[in-house]
Amino acid sequence: MTKWLSGYYEDNIIFAAEIIKKGGLVAFPTETVYGLGANALDKIAVARVFEVKGRPDFDPLIVHIASKEDIYLYAEGVEKEVEKLIDHFWPGPLTIVLPKKDSIPSIVTAGLSTVAIRMPKNPIALKLIKYSGVPIAAPSANPFGYISPTSAFQVADTLYGKIDCILDGGKCEFGLESTVLAFDNGEFYLLRPGALDLETIEKVICKPIRLYDSDKILSPGQSPRHYSPKKNTILIYPHLDHEQIDFTETIKKIYNYLTANQIDSKDLFLILPCKNFDINEKSFGMVDYLSDEFDLKTMASNLFEKLYLADKSSQNTIMIIGVPMKHLGLSIMNRLEKASNIVIR
Ligand code: TXA
Ligand code: MG
Protein backbone atom coordinates (compact mmCIF):
# COMPACT_ATOMS: atom_id res chain seq x y z
CA MET A 1 0.00 0.00 0.00
CA THR A 2 1.22 3.45 -0.84
CA LYS A 3 0.41 6.22 1.66
CA TRP A 4 -0.26 9.52 -0.11
CA LEU A 5 0.27 12.21 2.51
CA SER A 6 0.36 15.98 2.60
CA GLY A 7 3.94 17.12 3.06
CA TYR A 8 2.73 20.30 4.72
CA TYR A 9 2.12 18.49 8.03
CA GLU A 10 5.17 17.93 10.21
CA ASP A 11 3.74 14.64 11.51
CA ASN A 12 3.52 13.27 7.99
CA ILE A 13 7.15 14.13 7.28
CA ILE A 14 8.16 12.40 10.51
CA PHE A 15 6.10 9.36 9.47
CA ALA A 16 7.79 9.32 6.03
CA ALA A 17 11.22 9.63 7.68
CA GLU A 18 10.45 6.51 9.73
CA ILE A 19 9.75 4.68 6.47
CA ILE A 20 13.14 5.76 5.11
CA LYS A 21 14.88 4.61 8.31
CA LYS A 22 13.24 1.19 7.96
CA GLY A 23 14.47 0.78 4.39
CA GLY A 24 11.28 1.90 2.62
CA LEU A 25 10.80 4.15 -0.42
CA VAL A 26 9.33 7.65 -0.21
CA ALA A 27 8.58 9.96 -3.13
CA PHE A 28 9.10 13.54 -2.02
CA PRO A 29 9.01 17.02 -3.55
CA THR A 30 12.16 18.97 -4.30
CA GLU A 31 12.37 22.38 -5.95
CA THR A 32 13.34 20.64 -9.22
CA VAL A 33 11.26 17.46 -9.66
CA TYR A 34 9.90 14.78 -7.29
CA GLY A 35 12.53 12.33 -6.07
CA LEU A 36 12.13 8.66 -5.20
CA GLY A 37 14.08 8.46 -1.95
CA ALA A 38 15.76 5.67 -0.01
CA ASN A 39 18.36 5.58 2.76
CA ALA A 40 21.60 6.02 0.79
CA LEU A 41 23.49 3.93 3.37
CA ASP A 42 21.12 0.95 3.00
CA LYS A 43 22.12 -1.15 -0.01
CA ILE A 44 18.91 -3.13 -0.09
CA ALA A 45 16.71 -0.03 0.02
CA VAL A 46 18.77 1.49 -2.82
CA ALA A 47 18.45 -1.73 -4.83
CA ARG A 48 14.66 -1.37 -4.53
CA VAL A 49 14.86 2.11 -6.08
CA PHE A 50 16.58 0.65 -9.15
CA GLU A 51 14.03 -2.15 -9.31
CA VAL A 52 10.92 0.03 -8.96
CA LYS A 53 12.19 2.52 -11.55
CA GLY A 54 13.41 -0.14 -13.94
CA ARG A 55 16.64 1.83 -13.97
CA PRO A 56 19.75 0.20 -15.46
CA ASP A 57 22.28 -0.56 -12.74
CA PHE A 58 25.02 1.42 -14.49
CA ASP A 59 23.19 4.72 -13.90
CA PRO A 60 24.21 6.25 -10.53
CA LEU A 61 21.95 8.12 -8.09
CA ILE A 62 22.29 11.54 -6.47
CA VAL A 63 22.81 11.63 -2.70
CA HIS A 64 20.69 14.34 -1.03
CA ILE A 65 21.89 15.95 2.18
CA ALA A 66 20.33 18.49 4.55
CA SER A 67 23.38 20.47 5.59
CA LYS A 68 26.37 21.64 3.59
CA GLU A 69 28.91 20.19 6.01
CA ASP A 70 27.67 16.67 5.31
CA ILE A 71 29.46 16.80 1.98
CA TYR A 72 32.70 16.05 3.88
CA LEU A 73 31.18 12.79 5.18
CA TYR A 74 30.60 11.40 1.71
CA ALA A 75 33.06 13.06 -0.70
CA GLU A 76 36.78 13.70 -1.01
CA GLY A 77 38.44 16.65 -2.66
CA VAL A 78 36.09 19.39 -1.47
CA GLU A 79 38.50 22.14 -2.47
CA LYS A 80 38.07 25.88 -1.92
CA GLU A 81 36.47 26.36 -5.32
CA VAL A 82 33.87 23.71 -4.58
CA GLU A 83 33.19 25.28 -1.18
CA LYS A 84 32.66 28.63 -2.85
CA LEU A 85 30.21 27.06 -5.26
CA ILE A 86 28.13 25.29 -2.65
CA ASP A 87 28.22 28.26 -0.29
CA HIS A 88 26.62 30.24 -3.05
CA PHE A 89 24.14 27.79 -4.53
CA TRP A 90 23.19 25.36 -1.76
CA PRO A 91 20.52 24.72 -0.83
CA GLY A 92 19.41 24.71 -4.46
CA PRO A 93 19.25 22.97 -7.83
CA LEU A 94 22.95 22.18 -8.23
CA THR A 95 24.54 18.71 -7.99
CA ILE A 96 28.27 18.28 -7.65
CA VAL A 97 30.21 15.14 -8.56
CA LEU A 98 33.36 14.44 -6.53
CA PRO A 99 35.51 11.43 -5.58
CA LYS A 100 33.47 9.31 -3.19
CA LYS A 101 34.25 8.15 0.33
CA ASP A 102 33.71 4.54 1.38
CA SER A 103 30.75 5.63 3.52
CA ILE A 104 28.60 5.57 0.35
CA PRO A 105 27.82 2.02 -0.84
CA SER A 106 28.91 1.41 -4.40
CA ILE A 107 25.40 0.47 -5.54
CA VAL A 108 24.47 4.18 -5.13
CA THR A 109 27.21 5.29 -7.51
CA ALA A 110 26.82 2.32 -9.87
CA GLY A 111 30.36 1.27 -9.05
CA LEU A 112 31.91 4.63 -9.99
CA SER A 113 34.64 6.12 -7.84
CA THR A 114 32.71 9.40 -7.72
CA VAL A 115 29.50 10.44 -5.99
CA ALA A 116 26.90 13.06 -6.96
CA ILE A 117 25.71 15.19 -4.03
CA ARG A 118 23.10 17.88 -3.69
CA MET A 119 21.40 19.83 -0.92
CA PRO A 120 17.86 20.61 -2.06
CA LYS A 121 16.05 23.80 -1.15
CA ASN A 122 12.49 22.53 -0.78
CA PRO A 123 11.66 22.65 2.98
CA ILE A 124 9.75 19.33 2.89
CA ALA A 125 12.77 17.62 1.31
CA LEU A 126 15.15 19.16 3.86
CA LYS A 127 12.98 18.09 6.80
CA LEU A 128 12.59 14.57 5.43
CA ILE A 129 16.37 14.19 5.23
CA LYS A 130 16.87 15.71 8.71
CA TYR A 131 14.24 13.54 10.41
CA SER A 132 15.56 10.43 8.64
CA GLY A 133 19.03 11.13 10.02
CA VAL A 134 20.62 9.65 6.89
CA PRO A 135 21.53 10.90 3.41
CA ILE A 136 18.78 10.11 0.89
CA ALA A 137 19.62 8.60 -2.50
CA ALA A 138 16.98 9.73 -4.97
CA PRO A 139 16.51 9.67 -8.72
CA SER A 140 13.50 11.41 -10.21
CA ALA A 141 10.30 9.57 -9.21
CA ASN A 142 9.33 8.16 -12.61
CA PRO A 143 9.81 4.87 -14.43
CA PHE A 144 13.17 4.95 -16.22
CA GLY A 145 13.01 6.96 -19.44
CA TYR A 146 9.55 8.46 -18.80
CA ILE A 147 8.68 12.12 -18.17
CA SER A 148 9.96 13.41 -14.80
CA PRO A 149 7.18 14.20 -12.31
CA THR A 150 6.58 17.76 -11.16
CA SER A 151 3.50 16.97 -9.05
CA ALA A 152 2.49 14.21 -6.61
CA PHE A 153 -0.29 13.27 -9.00
CA GLN A 154 2.22 12.46 -11.73
CA VAL A 155 4.22 10.33 -9.28
CA ALA A 156 1.09 8.44 -8.25
CA ASP A 157 0.15 7.82 -11.88
CA THR A 158 3.15 5.57 -12.43
CA LEU A 159 4.41 4.53 -8.97
CA TYR A 160 1.27 4.20 -6.80
CA GLY A 161 1.20 0.72 -5.26
CA LYS A 162 4.91 0.18 -5.89
CA ILE A 163 6.37 2.47 -3.21
CA ASP A 164 5.61 3.05 0.46
CA CYS A 165 4.73 6.71 0.59
CA ILE A 166 4.21 9.86 -1.49
CA LEU A 167 4.73 13.16 0.31
CA ASP A 168 2.66 15.71 -1.57
CA GLY A 169 4.22 19.17 -1.71
CA GLY A 170 2.29 20.55 -4.69
CA LYS A 171 3.91 21.64 -7.90
CA CYS A 172 7.72 21.86 -8.09
CA GLU A 173 9.16 25.36 -8.34
CA PHE A 174 11.69 24.80 -11.16
CA GLY A 175 10.19 21.76 -12.90
CA LEU A 176 13.58 20.78 -14.37
CA GLU A 177 16.24 18.62 -12.74
CA SER A 178 19.32 20.06 -11.07
CA THR A 179 22.36 21.11 -13.05
CA VAL A 180 25.06 18.44 -12.60
CA LEU A 181 28.72 19.54 -12.50
CA ALA A 182 31.80 17.40 -11.93
CA PHE A 183 34.92 18.85 -10.32
CA ASP A 184 38.15 17.32 -11.53
CA ASN A 185 41.71 18.65 -11.41
CA GLY A 186 40.65 22.19 -10.69
CA GLU A 187 38.07 22.34 -13.47
CA PHE A 188 34.27 22.16 -13.52
CA TYR A 189 32.62 20.01 -16.19
CA LEU A 190 28.97 20.09 -17.19
CA LEU A 191 27.42 16.63 -16.97
CA ARG A 192 23.78 17.74 -17.29
CA PRO A 193 22.33 21.20 -17.94
CA GLY A 194 19.49 21.90 -15.52
CA ALA A 195 17.54 24.35 -13.41
CA LEU A 196 20.56 26.54 -12.63
CA ASP A 197 21.91 28.16 -15.78
CA LEU A 198 25.60 28.12 -16.62
CA GLU A 199 25.96 31.87 -16.98
CA THR A 200 24.87 32.33 -13.35
CA ILE A 201 27.33 29.69 -12.09
CA GLU A 202 30.22 31.06 -14.15
CA LYS A 203 29.78 34.49 -12.57
CA VAL A 204 30.48 32.92 -9.18
CA ILE A 205 33.37 30.61 -10.11
CA CYS A 206 34.88 33.30 -12.38
CA LYS A 207 35.86 30.84 -15.09
CA PRO A 208 34.14 28.92 -17.85
CA ILE A 209 32.51 25.58 -17.20
CA ARG A 210 33.91 22.95 -19.54
CA LEU A 211 31.60 20.92 -21.67
CA TYR A 212 31.24 17.22 -20.98
CA ASP A 213 34.09 15.19 -22.34
CA SER A 214 33.45 11.47 -22.18
CA ASP A 215 37.17 10.72 -22.38
CA LYS A 216 37.81 12.55 -19.11
CA ILE A 217 34.72 12.05 -16.96
CA LEU A 218 32.24 9.22 -16.84
CA SER A 219 28.58 10.15 -16.81
CA PRO A 220 26.55 7.10 -17.59
CA GLY A 221 23.09 8.69 -17.44
CA GLN A 222 23.36 10.28 -20.86
CA SER A 223 21.01 8.05 -22.85
CA PRO A 224 19.79 9.86 -25.97
CA ARG A 225 16.10 9.06 -25.40
CA HIS A 226 14.90 10.02 -21.94
CA TYR A 227 12.11 12.06 -20.33
CA SER A 228 9.96 10.69 -23.15
CA PRO A 229 6.22 10.60 -23.71
CA LYS A 230 4.92 7.27 -25.04
CA LYS A 231 3.50 8.97 -28.13
CA ASN A 232 5.20 10.05 -31.32
CA THR A 233 6.85 13.34 -30.27
CA ILE A 234 8.23 15.86 -32.76
CA LEU A 235 10.49 18.73 -31.74
CA ILE A 236 10.66 21.67 -34.13
CA TYR A 237 13.49 24.16 -33.66
CA PRO A 238 12.09 27.69 -33.90
CA HIS A 239 13.15 29.97 -36.73
CA LEU A 240 15.52 32.51 -35.16
CA ASP A 241 16.23 36.10 -36.05
CA HIS A 242 19.07 37.66 -34.00
CA GLU A 243 18.70 34.86 -31.43
CA GLN A 244 14.99 35.64 -30.96
CA ILE A 245 12.11 33.48 -32.18
CA ASP A 246 10.62 34.70 -35.47
CA PHE A 247 7.02 33.70 -34.76
CA THR A 248 5.67 34.04 -38.31
CA GLU A 249 8.49 32.02 -39.90
CA THR A 250 8.18 29.37 -37.19
CA ILE A 251 4.46 28.93 -37.90
CA LYS A 252 5.32 28.45 -41.59
CA LYS A 253 7.85 25.80 -40.58
CA ILE A 254 5.15 23.96 -38.58
CA TYR A 255 2.68 23.94 -41.48
CA ASN A 256 5.36 22.95 -43.99
CA TYR A 257 6.30 19.98 -41.87
CA LEU A 258 2.68 18.88 -41.44
CA THR A 259 2.00 19.12 -45.16
CA ALA A 260 5.20 17.39 -46.22
CA ASN A 261 4.57 14.51 -43.83
CA GLN A 262 0.80 14.33 -44.33
CA ILE A 263 0.07 14.76 -40.64
CA ASP A 264 -3.53 15.66 -39.76
CA SER A 265 -3.33 18.77 -37.56
CA LYS A 266 -6.53 17.66 -35.81
CA ASP A 267 -4.60 14.68 -34.49
CA LEU A 268 -1.88 16.91 -33.09
CA PHE A 269 -1.27 18.18 -29.57
CA LEU A 270 0.79 21.29 -30.26
CA ILE A 271 2.85 22.82 -27.45
CA LEU A 272 4.12 26.35 -28.09
CA PRO A 273 6.64 28.09 -25.83
CA CYS A 274 4.56 31.25 -25.39
CA LYS A 275 1.41 33.00 -26.61
CA ASN A 276 3.12 35.36 -29.09
CA PHE A 277 2.33 33.00 -31.96
CA ASP A 278 -0.54 34.20 -34.09
CA ILE A 279 -1.83 30.73 -34.83
CA ASN A 280 -5.30 29.44 -35.64
CA GLU A 281 -5.89 27.21 -32.60
CA LYS A 282 -9.05 25.74 -34.07
CA SER A 283 -7.17 24.01 -36.87
CA PHE A 284 -5.30 21.82 -34.33
CA GLY A 285 -6.52 19.00 -32.09
CA MET A 286 -5.18 20.88 -29.09
CA VAL A 287 -2.87 23.85 -28.56
CA ASP A 288 -1.16 24.54 -25.25
CA TYR A 289 1.51 27.02 -24.10
CA LEU A 290 4.46 26.68 -21.74
CA SER A 291 4.16 30.31 -20.68
CA ASP A 292 2.10 33.42 -21.48
CA GLU A 293 4.94 35.84 -22.14
CA PHE A 294 8.35 34.61 -23.28
CA ASP A 295 9.71 33.64 -19.87
CA LEU A 296 12.22 30.77 -19.70
CA LYS A 297 11.72 30.06 -16.00
CA THR A 298 7.96 29.64 -16.42
CA MET A 299 8.51 27.52 -19.52
CA ALA A 300 10.92 25.23 -17.68
CA SER A 301 8.54 24.86 -14.75
CA ASN A 302 5.67 23.77 -17.03
CA LEU A 303 7.60 21.65 -19.49
CA PHE A 304 7.23 18.15 -18.01
CA GLU A 305 3.65 18.78 -16.89
CA LYS A 306 2.58 19.81 -20.41
CA LEU A 307 4.37 16.84 -21.98
CA TYR A 308 2.58 14.60 -19.49
CA LEU A 309 -0.84 16.11 -20.31
CA ALA A 310 -0.14 15.81 -24.02
CA ASP A 311 0.78 12.15 -23.52
CA LYS A 312 -2.56 11.58 -21.76
CA SER A 313 -4.60 13.43 -24.41
CA SER A 314 -6.67 11.90 -27.19
CA GLN A 315 -4.34 13.21 -29.92
CA ASN A 316 -1.86 10.69 -31.30
CA THR A 317 1.05 13.00 -32.04
CA ILE A 318 2.78 15.61 -29.90
CA MET A 319 4.58 18.51 -31.53
CA ILE A 320 6.58 20.91 -29.41
CA ILE A 321 8.30 24.08 -30.54
CA GLY A 322 11.70 24.78 -29.00
CA VAL A 323 13.41 27.92 -27.70
CA PRO A 324 16.79 29.64 -28.31
CA MET A 325 19.60 27.73 -26.57
CA LYS A 326 20.69 30.44 -24.13
CA HIS A 327 20.40 30.51 -20.34
CA LEU A 328 17.69 28.06 -19.23
CA GLY A 329 16.91 27.53 -22.91
CA LEU A 330 19.92 25.19 -23.04
CA SER A 331 18.42 22.93 -20.35
CA ILE A 332 14.94 23.08 -21.88
CA MET A 333 16.29 22.03 -25.29
CA ASN A 334 18.39 19.27 -23.71
CA ARG A 335 15.20 17.73 -22.24
CA LEU A 336 13.17 18.28 -25.42
CA GLU A 337 15.78 16.66 -27.65
CA LYS A 338 15.74 13.58 -25.46
CA ALA A 339 11.96 13.55 -25.14
CA SER A 340 11.38 13.61 -28.92
CA ASN A 341 11.76 10.86 -31.46
CA ILE A 342 11.86 13.31 -34.37
CA VAL A 343 13.87 16.53 -34.29
CA ILE A 344 13.52 19.14 -37.05
CA ARG A 345 16.22 21.81 -37.00
O1 TXA B 1 16.98 17.61 -9.61
C1 TXA B 1 17.47 16.49 -9.53
O2 TXA B 1 18.68 16.29 -9.71
C2 TXA B 1 16.52 15.32 -9.20
C3 TXA B 1 15.98 15.53 -7.78
C4 TXA B 1 15.14 14.38 -7.32
O3 TXA B 1 17.04 15.80 -6.91
N1 TXA B 1 17.18 14.07 -9.32
C5 TXA B 1 17.51 13.54 -10.52
O4 TXA B 1 18.07 12.29 -10.45
O5 TXA B 1 17.32 14.10 -11.57
P1 TXA B 1 18.26 11.34 -11.70
O6 TXA B 1 18.71 10.05 -11.12
O7 TXA B 1 17.04 11.33 -12.52
O8 TXA B 1 19.48 11.97 -12.46
C6 TXA B 1 20.76 11.96 -11.88
C7 TXA B 1 21.82 12.26 -12.91
C8 TXA B 1 21.95 11.13 -13.92
O9 TXA B 1 22.16 11.68 -15.20
C9 TXA B 1 23.17 10.39 -13.39
O10 TXA B 1 23.83 9.65 -14.40
C10 TXA B 1 24.02 11.54 -12.88
O11 TXA B 1 23.07 12.41 -12.28
N2 TXA B 1 24.96 11.07 -11.87
C11 TXA B 1 24.70 10.60 -10.63
N3 TXA B 1 25.83 10.22 -10.01
C12 TXA B 1 26.84 10.45 -10.87
C13 TXA B 1 28.26 10.27 -10.81
N4 TXA B 1 28.86 9.75 -9.75
N5 TXA B 1 28.98 10.62 -11.90
C14 TXA B 1 28.39 11.15 -12.98
N6 TXA B 1 27.05 11.35 -13.09
C15 TXA B 1 26.30 11.00 -12.06
MG1 MG C 1 15.55 11.21 -14.06
Side-chain angles (χ1 to χ4, degrees):
M1 249 288 281
T2 303
K3 292 238 187 245
W4 186 342
L5 304 173
S6 166
Y8 295 106
Y9 292 99
E10 206 80 5
D11 285 353
N12 288 344
I13 307 178
I14 293 170
F15 179 86
E18 288 301 319
I19 295 177
I20 295 277
K21 281 188 206 166
K22 287 184 201 140
L25 305 192
V26 175
F28 63 100
T30 82
E31 69 279 18
T32 58
V33 299
Y34 275 72
L36 176 59
N39 175 356
L41 307 179
D42 178 341
K43 291 177 212 167
I44 294 170
V46 174
R48 266 191 78 206
V49 172
F50 280 92
E51 188 189 317
V52 163
K53 264 194 75 108
R55 182 176 177 115
D57 59 10
F58 56 78
D59 195 358
L61 307 182
I62 296 173
V63 173
H64 296 69
I65 56 178
S67 74
K68 291 179 194 175
E69 296 70 44
D70 285 358
I71 191 173
Y72 302 100
L73 299 175
Y74 310 119
E76 307 273 3
V78 189
E79 289 176 23
K80 287 236 149 32
E81 281 180 277
V82 176
E83 285 171 343
K84 187 172 175 193
L85 191 72
I86 64 181
D87 271 344
H88 209 275
F89 294 111
W90 279 5
L94 175 71
T95 297
I96 181 96
V97 173
L98 291 166
K100 96 183 223 340
K101 282 197 169 163
D102 290 342
S103 51
I104 296 292
S106 62
I107 184 170
V108 173
T109 64
L112 295 181
S113 59
T114 54
V115 58
I117 304 186
R118 117 170 166 92
M119 179 183 177
K121 186 175 83 168
N122 179 297
I124 299 171
L126 285 173
K127 283 183 189 167
L128 178 69
I129 305 165
K130 270 189 197 137
Y131 291 140
S132 303
V134 290
I136 293 186
S140 50
N142 53 286
F144 181 71
Y146 195 55
I147 306 164
S148 307
T150 55
S151 67
F153 181 81
Q154 269 172 267
V155 176
D157 186 35
T158 54
L159 296 183
Y160 195 87
K162 297 181 180 160
I163 61 178
D164 302 296
C165 177
I166 300 173
L167 269 183
D168 192 336
K171 187 176 162 170
C172 300
E173 180 191 346
F174 289 95
L176 267 192
E177 293 86 349
S178 61
T179 302
V180 182
L181 294 184
F183 184 72
D184 185 50
N185 263 322
E187 299 290 348
F188 290 99
Y189 294 86
L190 178 66
L191 301 189
R192 176 178 72 182
L196 190 60
D197 68 77
L198 299 186
E199 292 87 342
T200 308
I201 303 173
E202 283 173 344
K203 268 188 209 143
V204 170
I205 58 177
C206 302
K207 62 179 179 188
I209 293 167
R210 304 206 172 196
L211 291 185
Y212 170 66
D213 177 349
S214 56
D215 291 340
K216 287 219 175 77
I217 311 260
L218 283 173
S219 186
Q222 305 267 359
S223 19
R225 197 146 154 83
H226 211 111
Y227 317 103
S228 317
K230 297 191 175 87
K231 287 179 184 168
N232 185 29
T233 304
I234 306 161
L235 167 64
I236 307 261
Y237 270 64
H239 188 98
L240 297 185
D241 183 14
H242 295 91
E243 299 191 0
Q244 309 277 328
I245 300 181
D246 180 326
F247 298 104
T248 313
E249 287 300 319
T250 302
I251 292 175
K252 278 190 205 157
K253 199 169 167 185
I254 296 173
Y255 278 111
N256 286 343
Y257 181 81
L258 294 178
T259 312
N261 292 279
Q262 297 182 330
I263 294 173
D264 176 7
S265 58
K266 286 283 181 197
D267 196 28
L268 199 68
F269 193 116
L270 177 65
I271 305 175
L272 295 166
C274 55
K275 292 192 171 163
N276 308 54
F277 291 83
D278 186 16
I279 202 158
N280 178 12
E281 290 189 0
K282 288 205 183 79
S283 67
F284 293 92
M286 180 75 192
V287 180
D288 206 347
Y289 302 89
L290 296 179
S291 135
D292 287 351
E293 305 280 318
F294 187 92
D295 174 48
L296 287 169
K297 194 163 181 219
T298 310
M299 290 174 201
S301 73
N302 288 322
L303 184 66
F304 286 136
E305 188 186 358
K306 299 292 184 189
L307 281 176
Y308 174 80
L309 291 176
D311 207 29
K312 294 276 164 191
S313 73
S314 54
Q315 284 75 36
N316 281 307
T317 304
I318 303 170
M319 179 182 274
I320 184 154
I321 311 307
V323 293
M325 307 224 325
K326 286 199 87 176
H327 307 286
L328 271 183
L330 184 76
S331 311
I332 292 175
M333 291 303 277
N334 168 275
R335 301 305 188 271
L336 287 180
E337 291 233 354
K338 290 178 189 246
S340 317
N341 54 320
I342 299 174
V343 178
I344 306 298
R345 283 169 216 279

